[in-house]
Amino acid sequence: MVSTEKVAVVTGAGSGLGKVVALALLEDGYQVALAGRRPEPLAETAAGFDGAEVIPTDVASADSVAALFDAVRNKWGRVDLLFNNAGTSGPAGDVDEISPEDWASTVGVNLTGSFLCAHHAVRLMKEQRPRGGRIINNGSISAHSPRPQRAAYTATKHAITGLTKQISLDGRAHDIACGQIDIGNAATDLAAAFADGVPQANGTVMAEPTFDPAHVASAVLYMANLPLNTNVQFMTIAATNMPFIGRG
């Protein structure tokens, strides 16, 4: 089957920004493959939408990601958008305090997971007719500037920027666009700690402002709905008063 509607794959779609973005895409008329490790939250995201398909996926597993895109190919025959969103905050600590196992686990989800999904999405985008599509990678403010004691997370998010640039360059010949959205302090459950205070570069702990994640969904939707000859290469969206510009 080849869908006549736009098809999106959203990883980490069971909670947080992945859920918010997936719902916005569904409301905009996309057919959406909802990928994530836990089927129950995915089912909650899908509730009430005929165009949603729940596909439990571990993005750190090559076999699991291959199965995800096999399911997408079998159901819709194409993919127009991949939102590479699944991620983990990883361990906290100085670089000498982070175990190699925790480092590898963070890299596996945040970086290798994004690569694996892009690997299969690009392959399908090259083959499908009409060809092409778009990948949006969820970077982070930490893709620009680190927080204290977050070496694994920061390293993976800096690497996402390199992956974004490379896919953008290599995709040109195949009508594949790739951009990145770097998000700072969207008010999801994971950001609840910001209100209590988080470590700053000067050694203090300070509460930080947040913003409505619906604005992230609007931004991703804007990027997604551009024609393939137009690309938002990098977008930064953040709480206006968060300590980013001038951090440190």
Side-chain angles (χ1 to χ4, degrees):
M1 174 183 176
V2 177
S3 176
T4 58
E5 299 174 283
K6 285 188 176 181
V7 177
V9 175
V10 177
T11 64
S15 62
L17 291 172
K19 180 176 183 177
V20 173
V21 170
L23 290 172
L25 290 167
L26 286 162
E27 289 167 359
D28 198 56
Y30 280 78
Q31 307 290 298
V32 182
L34 305 169
R37 287 180 298 175
R38 297 176 297 150
E40 293 82 7
L42 295 176
E44 291 178 8
T45 304
F49 290 99
D50 293 336
E53 185 77 5
V54 171
I55 309 176
T57 305
D58 176 2
V59 298
S61 164
D63 289 343
S64 185
V65 174
L68 164 65
F69 281 89
D70 282 346
V72 170
R73 184 192 298 270
N74 291 336
K75 183 170 181 62
W76 292 297
R78 63 179 297 108
V79 59
D80 299 284
L81 173 69
L82 165 64
F83 183 42
N84 252 335
N85 167 74
T88 177
S89 60
D94 291 346
V95 71
D96 62 307
E97 298 169 337
I98 294 173
S99 73
E101 294 77 15
D102 285 343
W103 169 274
S105 177
T106 307
V107 171
V109 175
N110 292 0
L111 180 57
T112 303
S114 293
F115 159 75
L116 290 171
C117 291
H119 169 85
H120 289 281
V122 167
R123 177 173 290 177
L124 183 50
M125 288 171 180
K126 284 181 177 181
E127 296 173 357
Q128 64 197 19
R129 294 295 179 269
R131 74 175 187 178
R134 188 180 306 274
I135 296 171
I136 300 174
N137 291 325
N138 185 350
S140 169
I141 294 295
S142 291
H144 302 268
S145 183
R147 288 189 179 276
Q149 298 190 316
R150 289 290 176 182
Y153 182 79
T154 298
T156 58
K157 292 305 184 178
H158 274 64
I160 287 293
T161 300
L163 181 64
T164 297
K165 291 178 179 180
Q166 195 66 56
I167 297 170
S168 182
L169 175 61
D170 295 340
R172 290 175 185 173
H174 308 284
D175 299 321
I176 297 170
C178 182
Q180 180 171 319
I181 185 165
D182 296 323
I183 303 160
N185 291 11
T188 64
D189 290 343
L190 293 176
F194 292 137
D196 299 326
V198 288
Q200 303 296 309
N202 64 359
T204 63
V205 174
M206 184 181 77
E208 294 187 10
T210 59
F211 72 101
D212 189 337
H215 299 307
V216 175
S218 296
V220 172
L221 203 59
Y222 167 73
M223 296 169 73
N225 286 337
L226 289 170
L228 289 178
N229 65 1
T230 306
N231 189 37
V232 174
Q233 188 65 70
F234 294 101
M235 177 187 287
T236 301
I237 182 169
T240 302
N241 293 331
M242 77 167 290
F244 167 47
I245 301 301
R247 183 186 288 187

